[in-house]
Amino acid sequence: MRRFRLSLALAALVPAAALALTGCGDGSSGAAKGSCPGGKVRFGVEPFEDAAKLTPAYKTLGKALEAKLGCPVEVQIVQGYSAEVLALQNKKLDVAQFGPLGFVFASQRTGAEPVVSFGNPDRSVSTYKAGIWVKKDSPIASVADLKGRTLALSDAGSTSGDALPRYAIRKAGLSESDVKLQYAGGHPQSLLALTYGKVDAAEINTQQQATSTSEHQFDAAKYKQIWASDPIPNDPITVAKGLDPAFKSKLVSALTTLSPQDVAKAGAFLDVEPGPLVPVTKQTYQPLFDLARTLGLTEKNL
């Protein structure tokens, strides 16, 4: 399960002191200790799932990276998108993982550069899809048929649970006011709203579908899919603007040579089949930049 998104308004309520990452220096003073900036690598992760679940998974990845680099790696599940951006701006992070749409705005605001993402066993970039589903016996057969109907979305700012379904509505020739949009509060909640007949249709991305199917909470035979998005590249792991080029090269080499087993626990939250981390560039996420521009999205939409 994924795509938990704290809004900027909520994140802004986090006290400034809470934005400081535990044990992190500002990374701006003195020469690097060995090959590490500030003597350690500060790795932030946006909380796309419960932090209590993400922490041990990313600690495993961090320990493996630490062994490759030969210097400490400090992992922190930050309070949200806003906190992660502020930490990058304040030089409190060297490495940061964002959701695809969050990365669009983080790159514009901080200059964060994507270097790797979660790969498939064949070393291609892993992807997922947004989808809109209805009950099997529903008369709704297309997005255009949603006019006057209720559609559950996951939460505001989600790539697959908000932006892409709204884009599909526009592509179908409808305005957003033609459809009764309801934010359920997450992908699981969106599915439940459809399951219990609270809405006529719901967004269910392939990650949620896989998770719910494995937990026997979703049976595709009881539903039908009326729309699917193009593949969405999974979360980029980015490096801070101004990171020493020699160290960045070493970091990317270390990340891309981690074993699939080192990455598997973190990748599992993205429903990724165990594979390595693979190189990506800003161009990998160009469709998300295009989507944000088409929909007129800003950071306020996250």
Side-chain angles (χ1 to χ4, degrees), residues 1-5 48-49 97 99-100 117-118 126-131 133 158-161 187-188 191 203-215 217-218 225 229 231-235 266-273:
M1 299 184 300
R2 74 188 252 73
R3 302 297 112 198
F4 279 52
R5 290 285 180 260
F48 59 83
E49 174 61 88
Q97 180 178 328
S117 185
F118 294 82
S126 66
T127 61
Y128 64 107
K129 291 183 179 182
W133 292 71
S158 169
T159 306
S160 63
H187 294 288
L191 171 58
E203 74 77 20
I204 304 170
N205 70 16
T206 53
Q207 295 166 333
Q208 184 61 49
Q209 182 184 349
T211 299
S212 297
T213 298
S214 67
E215 295 175 351
Q217 296 173 346
F218 180 83
Q225 187 171 28
S229 72
I232 308 162
N234 255 313
D235 292 13
F269 288 103
L270 303 173
D271 292 313
V272 175
E273 186 178 353

Side-chain angles (χ1 to χ4, degrees), residues 81-139:
Y81 167 82
S82 181
E84 192 163 21
V85 166
L86 285 173
L88 277 174
Q89 289 182 319
N90 294 329
K91 302 184 186 300
K92 295 184 182 296
L93 285 178
D94 307 298
V95 181
Q97 180 178 328
F98 288 97
L101 191 57
F103 161 67
V104 169
F105 303 113
S107 69
Q108 294 170 345
R109 185 169 164 187
T110 71
E113 178 188 350
V115 290
V116 299
S117 185
F118 294 82
N120 296 311
D122 65 359
R123 302 194 68 84
S124 61
V125 178
S126 66
T127 61
Y128 64 107
K129 291 183 179 182
I132 296 176
W133 292 71
V134 297
K135 291 287 187 68
K136 186 176 181 179
D137 59 357
S138 171

